[in-house]
């Protein structure tokens, strides 16, 4: 039975004893997110010479004489508008600046991109791979536009190493302002003291200093050593190999010199977790449609800092006997060959997961991971709610972990279990009061309250019916069938697209949606379906970040339509008064991130999660802590982290054999 609202959400912060109970030895230890930020031009890619050529081509196309190469090089590291303003001697809002930027971008496509791989500095691919292997999150903060930087990294073969990319158009104030670095830290829930910025210009180093980051200046780029040393970087490096050494010295892992942790917290531990994520022994599902969740749990427990030996024990216990009392099943061999000509024919048919994996594995080797995601995931976004959102979770959490196999498994699972939420039915909402996700959901909750008997009866009539378009295995699930039936039929309110989806940056939408689904979870603490919306949002955000800019709002829209389908499928809706009360309770509630009371409370949550056989609880704690950090300590996430769920009992339909 779920706890009451008063039990679940205290009106004031809980009192923490002066001496907190000790976390069981060897259970969990908080491990900070370590972040390496890189400039792009002149740091990862030797593009200054090509940039000078692109500027020359732009000026020629404008009918102007090329500028002195030294003057052009002096602008590298500035946003294009500032660079053209300086070189043209005009204000940035002058029409000639926009003309120059457009012509430069055309030259960029024709001059720089075709040569990108040859422009990568020696040791960069190997160095980035080593940082990732050692558990450092690799990011890029550049003065290029996001799309241009994305294209250059992809063409150079480096995009797969990059978890987060921030361009000049992603911020209000580009480098040397600290906004770029702070945005990356916010996205990753990381602290300045656990991050380092690497760059070849004083703009990079000044940004690092202003954001409270350590810095490594590279001497092989645009600015000379004396100019770089004048702004006091933490270290100076002459090669990329030295850069990697300095980063690892500045950001030691537990157990490495300076790390202050146990002796078994270094690279061998990383390999233990990677080995579990790389495992190909087991099928993606068991007992029909039940998802094999264990890799999700490994990512969550690793992200929470649980010791690898304990993660391995948790993994082995799940494999031996899942919380449902069933063993996981061995991997199955492909039964056919899937290729680009027929991959859509089996979409959502729950046939031959292994063949789908083999197909996407081949395509990744041809396209690279970034190319694979951009080629196939946009088509699969509409099916994100399939398999009770676990396919989406598998993909997004694979991206979170930076694990190739898990990511490809997630794409294959999305295709295998695809259930369309029909975003093509969406129409712009003409209603008022839809400036935020909470406003939109509150309006729908009011509609449900006013029409509950009729709407509830309509849902039950709908799910009692049968559809030839839904795989018969989902009938055994109950929950998955209800969702598939609702997504197939739909309701007009599910397709009214609120104004905030198109009007604001997707990052803002994801932040607001995270708060909203957490509040929703607190209206019915422990609810299995609502918990999935939380962990799936974490996944969708990672998926969205890996897509081209133009696809990111579409990802938000698909998520919105899908969660409404899930909520409608239940046949009841949260009351407006309860939604408003919980939202108001936490609207301005903020924890001090440095308060030791909250550190102890998170240790308790983690310790509980490790002892729970229901792996969704480890995922809940992981996502809530990430959101708590990212939001600067919003109390709603800390409170929600303690509202554990229980494994639901399998319905009577499981007495029938699987239909796959």
């Amino acid at each position: 039975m779920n706890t009451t609202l008063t039990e679940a959400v205290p009106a004031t912060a809980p009192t923490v004893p002066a001496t907190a109970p000790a976390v069981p030895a060897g259970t969990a230890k908080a491990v900070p997110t370590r972040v390496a930020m890189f400039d792009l031009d002149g740091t990862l890619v030797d593009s200054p010479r090509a940039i000078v050529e692109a500027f020359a081509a732009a000026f020629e196309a404008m009918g102007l004489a090329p500028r002195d190469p030294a003057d052009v090089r002096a602008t590298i590291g500035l946003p294009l508008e500032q660079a053209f303003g300086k070189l043209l001697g005009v204000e940035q809002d002058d029409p000639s600046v926009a003309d120059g930027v457009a012509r430069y971008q055309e030259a960029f496509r024709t001059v720089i991109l075709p040569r990108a791989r040859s422009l990568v500095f020696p040791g960069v691919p190997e160095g980035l791979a080593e940082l990732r292997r050692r558990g450092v999150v690799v990011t890029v903060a550049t003065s290029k536009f996001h799309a241009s930087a994305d294209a250059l990294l992809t063409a150079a073969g480096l995009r797969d190493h990059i978890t987060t990319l921030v361009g000049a158009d992603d911020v209000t104030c580009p480098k040397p302002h600290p906004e770029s670095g702070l945005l990356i830290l916010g996205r990753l829930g990381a602290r300045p003291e656990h991050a380092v910025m690497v760059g070849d210009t004083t703009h990079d180093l000044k940004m690092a200093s202003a954001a409270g980051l350590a810095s490594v200046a590279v001497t092989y780029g645009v600015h000379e050593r004396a100019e770089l040393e004048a702004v006091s970087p933490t270290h100076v490096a002459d090669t990329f190999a030295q850069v990697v050494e300095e980063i690892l010295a500045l950001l030691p892992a537990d157990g490495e010199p300076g790390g202050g942790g146990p002796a078994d917290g270094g690279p061998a531990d990383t390999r233990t977790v990677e080995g579990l994520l790389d495992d190909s022994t087991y099928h993606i599902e068991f007992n029909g449609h039940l998802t094999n969740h264990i890799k999700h749990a490994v990512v969550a427990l690793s992200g929470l800092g649980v010791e690898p030996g304990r993660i391995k024990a948790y993994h082995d216990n799940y494999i031996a006997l899942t919380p449902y009392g069933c063993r996981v099943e061995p991997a199955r061999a492909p039964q056919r060959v899937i290729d680009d000509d027929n991959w859509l024919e089996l979409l959502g048919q729950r046939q031959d997961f292994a063949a789908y994996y083999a197909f996407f594995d081949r395509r990744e080797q041809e396209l690279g991971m970034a190319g694979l995601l951009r080629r196939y995931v946009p088509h699969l976004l509409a099916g994100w709610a399939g398999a009770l959102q676990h396919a989406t979770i598998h993909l997004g959490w694979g991206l979170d972990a930076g694990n190739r196999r898990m990511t490809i498994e997630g794409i294959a699972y999305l295709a295998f279990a695809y259930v369309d939420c029909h975003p093509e039915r969406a129409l712009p909402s003409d209603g008022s009061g839809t400036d935020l996700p909470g406003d939109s959901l509150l309006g729908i909750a009011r509609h449900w309250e006013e029409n509950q008997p009729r709407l509830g009866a309509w849902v039950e009539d709908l799910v009692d019916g049968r559809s030839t378009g839904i795989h018969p295995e989902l009938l055994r699930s109950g929950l998955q069938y209800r969702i598939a039936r609702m997504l197939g039929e739909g309701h007009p309110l599910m397709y009214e697209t609120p104004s905030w989806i198109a009007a604001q940056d997707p990052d803002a939408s994801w932040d607001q949606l995270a708060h909203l689904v957490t509040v929703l979870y607190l209206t019915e603490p422990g609810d299995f379906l609502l918990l999935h919306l939380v962990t799936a949002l974490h996944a969708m955000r990672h998926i969205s970040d890996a897509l081209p800019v133009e696809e990111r709002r579409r990802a938000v829209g698909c998520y919105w339509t899908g969660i409404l389908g899930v909520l409608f499928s239940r046949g009841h809706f949260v009351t407006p008064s309860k939604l408003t009360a919980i939202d108001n309770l936490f609207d301005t509630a903020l924890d001090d991130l440095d308060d030791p009371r909250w550190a102890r409370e998170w240790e308790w949550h983690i310790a509980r999660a490790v002892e729970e056989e229901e792996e969704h609880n480890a995922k809940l704690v992981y996502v809530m802590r990430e959101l708590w950090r990212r939001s600067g300590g919003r109390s709603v996430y800390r409170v929600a982290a303690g509202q554990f769920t229980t494994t639901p009992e399998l319905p009577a339909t499981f007495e029938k054999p699987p239909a796959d």
Side-chain angles (χ1 to χ4, degrees), residues 67-325:
R67 298 308 189 254
D68 187 289
D71 292 337
V72 174
R73 289 177 66 88
T75 69
I76 294 176
L78 297 175
L80 279 175
E81 292 88 350
Q82 290 185 32
F84 271 99
K86 285 180 175 291
L87 294 170
L88 291 168
V90 299
E91 296 296 324
Q92 290 184 48
D93 57 0
D94 190 279
S96 63
V97 169
D99 184 31
V101 169
R103 295 181 185 277
Y104 173 91
Q105 289 173 330
E106 175 60 29
F108 172 84
R109 288 189 291 271
T110 59
V111 174
I112 298 179
L113 288 186
R115 302 162 50 190
R117 285 187 181 270
S118 67
L119 295 173
V120 176
F121 283 113
V124 167
E126 299 82 0
L128 297 182
E130 174 65 8
L131 289 172
R132 289 180 61 205
R133 190 184 72 79
R134 301 284 286 270
V136 177
V137 180
V138 177
T139 69
V140 165
T142 176
S143 296
K144 270 185 161 34
F145 288 158
H146 189 114
S148 296
D150 198 304
L152 180 57
L153 286 164
T154 300
L158 302 177
R159 188 62 180 86
D160 290 356
H161 296 295
I162 310 304
T163 296
T164 300
L165 165 64
V166 168
D169 50 337
D170 293 322
V171 295
T172 304
C173 302
K175 294 182 289 185
H177 192 278
E179 186 180 356
S180 298
L182 296 176
L183 178 57
I184 289 175
L185 293 178
R187 287 182 176 178
L188 297 172
R191 307 275 296 189
E193 60 267 28
H194 301 138
V196 58
M197 176 68 196
V198 181
D200 68 310
T201 72
T202 57
H203 310 301
D204 305 313
L205 305 178
K206 289 177 180 178
M207 184 275 276
S209 178
L213 312 176
S215 60
V216 177
V218 298
T219 60
Y220 52 74
V222 172
H223 288 174
E224 301 292 334
R225 177 186 287 269
E227 191 174 1
L228 296 169
E229 290 180 338
V231 294
S232 304
T234 311
H235 292 288
V236 179
D238 297 316
T239 66
F240 200 79
Q242 291 177 8
V243 168
V244 174
E245 291 176 5
E246 299 292 1
I247 290 173
L248 293 175
L250 288 165
L251 306 176
D254 287 344
E256 295 178 343
D264 60 346
D269 290 349
T270 302
R271 287 195 295 271
T272 298
V273 171
E274 285 296 309
L276 296 176
L277 299 182
D278 286 337
D279 189 15
S280 59
T281 307
Y282 305 104
H283 186 45
I284 198 71
E285 293 185 332
F286 60 93
N287 197 343
H289 66 275
L290 296 178
T291 300
N292 179 354
H293 303 85
I294 189 54
K295 291 188 180 183
H296 314 164
V298 169
V299 174
L301 293 170
S302 177
L304 290 169
V306 176
E307 293 177 0
R310 186 65 183 86
I311 296 175
K312 179 67 163 58
Y314 191 102
H315 170 278
D316 293 349
N317 182 66
Y318 183 99
I319 294 300
L321 196 66
T322 68
Y324 288 101

Side-chain angles (χ1 to χ4, degrees), residues 361-379:
D361 179 55
R362 292 194 306 273
R363 294 298 283 148
E364 192 278 336
Q365 295 176 46
E366 298 163 357
L367 302 172
M369 185 59 75
L372 181 74
L373 294 165
R374 286 158 175 73
R375 168 70 176 81
Y376 296 101
V377 171
H379 193 103

